[in-house]
Amino acid sequence: MIILLDEYDTPMQEAYVNNYWDEVVSFIRNMFNSTFKTNPYLERAMLTGTVCPALSGITRVSKESIFSDLNNLKVITITSEKYEDCFGFTEDEVFAALDEYGLSEKKQEVKNWYDGFIFGNRRDMYNPWSILNYLDNKQVGMYWVNSSSNSLIGKLIREGTTEIKQLVEDLLSGKTLCMEIDEQIVYHQLQDKHNAIWSLLLTSGYLKVLKKEYQEKSGRWYYTMAPTNREVHLMFEDMIVDWFARSEGNYNAFIKALIANDLEAMNAYINRVALSTFSYFDTGKNPSGEEPERFYHGFVLGLMVELADRYALTSNRESGFGRYDVMLEPLYPEKDDAILMEFKVFQPKKEKDLEESVEKALQQIEEKRVKNRVNLGRT
């Protein structure tokens, strides 16, 4: 008997997010024991991830002893060259399918949306689920990324550190990440291990490896990564928009007030947004009330998404507790003014009142305006 076991990773992620991890681990341990260890009819078995090509989607759970009797597994990772052309559709196969369906003129559109998966040295790989759905519906859409809840990824980013949100800002603005990655990351390490979230995003297919380099001095591999394709990029945007769903009216109203330079309305709406969403960014372990920059960087990510058609957003990311600068540069200067924002946290030990905090923020804006020679229509 040959067994192909697929999609065990999805219930594991949901269990992790919803705090019934131990029960699911126990169930899967028993299932694996019966299926792989004590099954006299088993010849060979393959564990695969989600519809995403290759074993991406599988986050190992070895620290929970699920694989205690399967310690000789052969693991094929995203960057493995073995079977690199077998995990998904090649571009030739996709284009041939488009020709067969009379969609030859849509090749560039499909490439823009769904190309991008890289396995080993093989580039221009496509997710089968996205392509099959495109051929069926004959229009682009977020097919693969909407095939699961992505709740674990959303939780780790939303509740993550300021650094994590800054790096997501970079990804959304078209930059790449370069860091050490452990392709064998396990669930047990997701909350505590440095860079674990990026390992998860890579193995889940949401990031692609553009370059992999070995640094002799450190003895470690470093990965240069970017979002896989347009479908994934839009998934990140939708995830961020959902963060503010509970205060959508206030959040949208704040953005309108910001563009209209209505300071009184801005103040009222930002307070409401903060009150309704601040705790949503809490982890319990490091609540955002103790590290307010985590909330504000999440807020900035929302601005990046909501105003992407009018502004290019950059963050100066000042060091220091509870403050950083944001610049909104208009894509169409003839229609919109540039906006420079300074977020301040009142520090009773250093400032006598909120007015002094505001005055310091204005001073910083003026200093940066001179240093950077920014021509602002208003501040």
Side-chain angles (χ1 to χ4, degrees):
M1 179 173 66
I2 299 175
I3 293 178
L4 175 65
L5 182 59
D6 186 31
E7 292 281 14
Y8 84 79
D9 192 52
T10 299
M12 296 298 289
Q13 290 194 31
E14 294 303 312
Y16 189 89
V17 171
N18 295 298
N19 299 318
Y20 50 91
W21 176 252
D22 291 339
E23 293 85 348
V24 173
V25 166
S26 177
F27 169 78
I28 293 184
R29 181 186 295 117
N30 292 332
M31 180 183 69
F32 281 5
N33 180 276
S34 300
T35 304
F36 299 113
K37 180 181 178 181
T38 61
N39 186 351
Y41 305 103
L42 178 65
E43 178 181 347
R44 67 173 62 95
M46 177 182 293
L47 296 174
T48 72
T50 61
V51 161
C52 176
L55 290 186
S56 59
I58 282 189
T59 307
R60 299 184 72 189
V61 284
S62 56
K63 290 291 180 66
E64 317 301 334
S65 300
I66 289 179
F67 288 114
S68 59
D69 297 309
L70 294 169
N71 55 0
N72 292 319
L73 290 173
K74 177 67 175 179
V75 179
I76 307 298
T77 68
I78 289 288
T79 60
S80 298
E81 295 180 19
K82 193 172 185 179
Y83 310 125
E84 61 183 13
D85 61 344
C86 300
F87 303 127
F89 293 159
T90 65
E91 188 162 274
D92 289 342
E93 291 170 334
V94 171
F95 285 1
L98 292 173
D99 290 338
E100 183 70 21
Y101 276 72
L103 299 170
S104 300
E105 74 282 359
K106 299 293 186 179
K107 290 178 181 178
Q108 190 58 50
E109 178 182 59
V110 170
K111 183 176 179 65
N112 292 342
W113 269 74
Y114 305 117
D115 183 21
F117 290 97
I118 301 174
F119 301 104
N121 295 317
R122 186 64 184 253
R123 295 174 177 264
D124 296 320
M125 299 294 290
Y126 291 71
N127 183 286
W129 184 255
S130 296
I131 297 304
L132 292 174
N133 277 275
Y134 179 86
L135 294 174
D136 185 36
N137 297 311
K138 296 182 173 55
Q139 62 181 19
V140 293
M142 296 170 62
Y143 298 118
W144 168 61
V145 296
N146 285 336
S147 65
S148 64
S149 68
N150 302 311
S151 56
L152 176 57
I153 292 172
K155 175 182 173 67
L156 292 174
I157 295 176
R158 186 186 72 244
E159 298 178 354
T161 63
T162 297
E163 180 186 12
I164 287 175
K165 291 182 177 64
Q166 289 173 345
L167 293 174
V168 174
E169 287 177 32
D170 287 342
L171 291 175
L172 289 177
S173 63
K175 298 177 182 177
T176 59
L177 306 181
C178 182
M179 62 183 61
E180 180 187 359
I181 288 291
D182 180 4
E183 291 190 68
Q184 305 294 332
I185 196 71
V186 298
Y187 273 100
H188 181 76
Q189 301 169 329
L190 288 177
Q191 291 284 4
D192 302 314
K193 189 170 182 179
H194 183 61
N195 291 347
I197 184 173
W198 311 112
S199 299
L200 175 65
L201 288 170
L202 174 61
T203 59
S204 298
Y206 299 112
L207 294 179
K208 60 184 175 184
V209 177
L210 302 175
K211 184 170 58 175
K212 179 180 175 182
E213 294 180 302
Y214 180 74
Q215 293 191 4
E216 187 69 35
K217 186 175 181 180
S218 66
R220 292 179 170 86
W221 287 92
Y222 286 82
Y223 297 63
T224 300
M225 300 173 293
T228 306
N229 51 34
R230 177 169 173 75
E231 184 182 21
V232 169
H233 193 282
L234 291 175
M235 182 273 293
F236 282 119
E237 291 188 357
D238 285 353
M239 183 183 299
I240 292 167
V241 170
D242 287 344
W243 292 351
F244 298 95
R246 65 181 62 191
S247 62
E248 182 175 359
N250 289 320
Y251 189 70
N252 292 338
F254 167 79
I255 292 175
K256 291 178 181 179
L258 172 67
I259 300 302
N261 197 28
D262 186 343
L263 301 182
E264 184 175 349
M266 285 171 58
N267 184 61
Y269 288 124
I270 190 61
N271 285 335
R272 295 175 190 172
V273 172
L275 287 172
S276 61
T277 61
F278 215 106
S279 62
Y280 189 54
F281 288 79
D282 284 353
T283 65
K285 181 178 179 181
N286 297 301
S288 57
E290 298 177 8
E291 189 191 344
E293 282 191 353
R294 290 198 292 112
F295 165 76
Y296 289 120
H297 271 284
F299 183 81
V300 168
L301 284 170
L303 289 178
M304 292 185 71
V305 173
E306 293 288 348
L307 297 175
D309 60 336
R310 296 178 64 176
Y311 287 92
L313 187 147
T314 56
S315 171
N316 290 331
R317 302 172 187 178
E318 289 188 350
S319 61
F321 178 76
R323 66 175 185 235
Y324 64 91
D325 297 326
V326 174
M327 183 182 294
L328 291 162
E329 299 181 71
L331 299 179
Y332 308 100
E334 67 280 2
K335 295 175 55 180
D336 296 311
D337 293 323
I339 300 173
L340 187 60
M341 304 172 65
E342 179 74 23
F343 289 90
K344 296 289 291 184
V345 172
F346 175 51
Q347 303 179 72
K349 294 182 179 180
K350 297 181 180 180
E351 302 155 353
K352 63 181 181 180
D353 51 32
L354 288 173
E355 285 71 19
E356 185 175 345
S357 296
V358 172
E359 185 59 34
K360 287 186 177 181
L362 292 173
Q363 290 175 4
Q364 285 181 279
I365 288 176
E366 290 301 322
E367 290 173 2
K368 295 183 191 312
R369 182 175 181 178
V370 174
K371 291 179 181 178
N372 297 327
R373 298 183 179 179
V374 177
N375 183 19
L376 298 176
R378 58 175 178 262
T379 58

